[in-house]
Amino acid sequence: MALASVFGTNLFHYDPKGVVEFYEAYPAVRASFEQAARWTELEVEPLLYQNGTYENETLRIRAVSVGLAAAQLGIQDVLADKGLLPDVVGGLSLGGLVASCVAGAVERQDLMRMLAEADHDPEPADAGRPEGLASAYLTPGFDPDRYYGERREGVFLSADFGYDAQGRVRITMLSGYRDALEKLAAEEPEGLVNVTEGADLAVHSPLREHLREVTRAQVAPVVFQDPRLPLCSCLEQRTLGTAEEVREMFVDNVVKPISLVHLNEELRRHETELALVVGPSPVMNALRYPFPAVFVDSPAAVAQAVAAVFEHGVRLRRA
């Protein structure tokens, strides 16, 4: 009988309305943004409203990452103040790094500084071949080799989100070379594979391999601790139990595909009875979970989370 806190993936563009409402309603969220701004030498307003102007794409992605992490941690603090302390945590991509903070494996200040200094390297692995992303909506029983894998040159599985809430389609994110993604989209029925406009980084794919050692050098001076809570990985179905495993997750997160399926199965193994999906995440809110889930993306959802704890008989742990 466990309560889980789950944190969503990075969002290169998102509507900050719910986060702004949290910021205005709760001192804990304001404190989280103020800390993030102080630690990274960024300003609160662009972190909160996502309205900054930046010299290049790397600087913009860094600011978005810091702002979203500040929002997720601040909202988690609001839940903790209500007594909703998780027994187990996990997240997707950026959310996995935030979950590491909540589990006590890395200090918030260190996470914010790493996000503010991350090298996203906008240059493609092949200078003559632009990269890209695509969303794919696949029917049950689909052949993965048709979309990615050895038979599909230049396309990789970047994220497996599992099935939509109705269980009708499997939602995935593909990454790779833009020409290969566009070729795949043209071969499929309209709307099945959609190449994302304005996305030019093949995230969570082998094309980011050159950043693995860059990231390893970045995290080398950071002090990691053994997690105090079960920390479920989204890179494979396992629970991270040591400081070194968490450090390696930070490095692998740059290259390996992420999977909500892996994360959910591991959360279920820890007897999760209710999950609180913390912060803005339109994709996460549209998915199927093997346990009840409350999407805490606006202040109104805090009361829903408290009610769900009582409805499902979740026994809360003490700090």
Side-chain angles (χ1 to χ4, degrees), residues 192-246:
L192 196 66
V193 177
N194 302 284
V195 180
T196 305
E197 293 301 324
D200 55 3
L201 294 179
V203 297
H204 297 293
S205 82
L207 300 186
R208 300 285 92 193
E209 183 66 37
H210 61 289
L211 291 180
R212 184 188 292 274
E213 294 310 312
V214 174
T215 306
R216 190 181 301 281
Q218 183 194 16
V219 304
V222 176
V223 176
F224 287 85
Q225 305 285 346
D226 294 347
R228 295 193 296 269
L229 299 174
L231 175 59
C232 298
S233 174
C234 70
L235 304 179
E236 54 191 322
Q237 188 183 330
R238 64 182 295 211
T239 296
L240 307 178
T242 70
E244 195 54 37
E245 288 173 346
V246 179

Side-chain angles (χ1 to χ4, degrees), residues 153-171:
E153 185 275 334
V155 177
F156 308 93
L157 177 65
S158 184
D160 181 0
F161 295 109
Y163 286 98
D164 71 309
Q166 289 73 41
R168 292 182 296 210
V169 295
R170 187 126 185 183
I171 302 175

Side-chain angles (χ1 to χ4, degrees), residues 19 22 29 70-80 278-280 296-297 302:
V19 176
F22 262 114
V29 178
Q72 291 174 330
L73 288 167
I75 296 169
Q76 179 61 48
D77 289 341
V78 171
L79 296 172
V278 180
V296 189
D297 54 5
V302 174

Side-chain angles (χ1 to χ4, degrees), residues 102 104 135 188 213 223 240 269 294:
V102 178
S135 53
E188 296 299 314
E213 294 310 312
V223 176
L240 307 178
R269 191 177 70 81
V294 176

Side-chain angles (χ1 to χ4, degrees), residues 81-297:
D81 289 343
K82 300 292 184 183
L84 306 185
L85 298 171
D87 302 289
V88 56
V89 296
L92 290 179
S93 189
L94 173 70
L97 312 186
V98 171
S100 300
C101 279
V102 178
V106 63
E107 295 294 331
R108 293 187 183 193
Q109 183 172 353
D110 289 329
L111 174 63
M112 293 301 179
R113 287 179 172 169
M114 284 189 284
L115 293 176
E117 298 170 1
D119 188 346
H120 296 282
D121 188 8
E123 295 300 321
D126 182 341
R129 214 173 169 194
E131 297 174 7
L133 296 175
S135 53
Y137 304 92
L138 311 178
T139 57
F142 72 94
D143 176 11
D145 283 344
R146 178 174 172 177
Y147 299 94
Y148 52 86
E150 293 183 0
R151 296 209 309 262
R152 179 61 67 172
E153 185 275 334
V155 177
F156 308 93
L157 177 65
S158 184
D160 181 0
F161 295 109
Y163 286 98
D164 71 309
Q166 289 73 41
R168 292 182 296 210
V169 295
R170 187 126 185 183
I171 302 175
T172 62
M173 184 170 70
L174 307 177
S175 62
Y177 294 112
R178 180 167 289 273
D179 60 350
L181 293 167
E182 290 174 344
K183 178 183 177 183
L184 171 61
E187 294 173 357
E188 296 299 314
E190 185 176 358
L192 196 66
V193 177
N194 302 284
V195 180
T196 305
E197 293 301 324
D200 55 3
L201 294 179
V203 297
H204 297 293
S205 82
L207 300 186
R208 300 285 92 193
E209 183 66 37
H210 61 289
L211 291 180
R212 184 188 292 274
E213 294 310 312
V214 174
T215 306
R216 190 181 301 281
Q218 183 194 16
V219 304
V222 176
V223 176
F224 287 85
Q225 305 285 346
D226 294 347
R228 295 193 296 269
L229 299 174
L231 175 59
C232 298
S233 174
C234 70
L235 304 179
E236 54 191 322
Q237 188 183 330
R238 64 182 295 211
T239 296
L240 307 178
T242 70
E244 195 54 37
E245 288 173 346
V246 179
R247 184 188 302 274
E248 284 303 303
M249 182 268 286
F250 271 64
V251 175
D252 289 340
N253 189 59
V254 177
V255 176
K256 287 187 175 181
I258 60 175
S259 171
L260 184 63
V261 178
H262 288 336
L263 178 58
N264 279 342
E265 285 303 309
E266 193 67 1
L267 289 170
R268 184 162 65 173
R269 191 177 70 81
H270 285 282
E271 299 184 338
T272 293
E273 191 174 26
L274 174 66
L276 305 181
V277 182
V278 180
S281 186
V283 173
M284 300 283 282
N285 294 15
L287 302 175
R288 167 172 286 190
Y289 295 84
F291 30 70
V294 176
F295 307 105
V296 189
D297 54 5

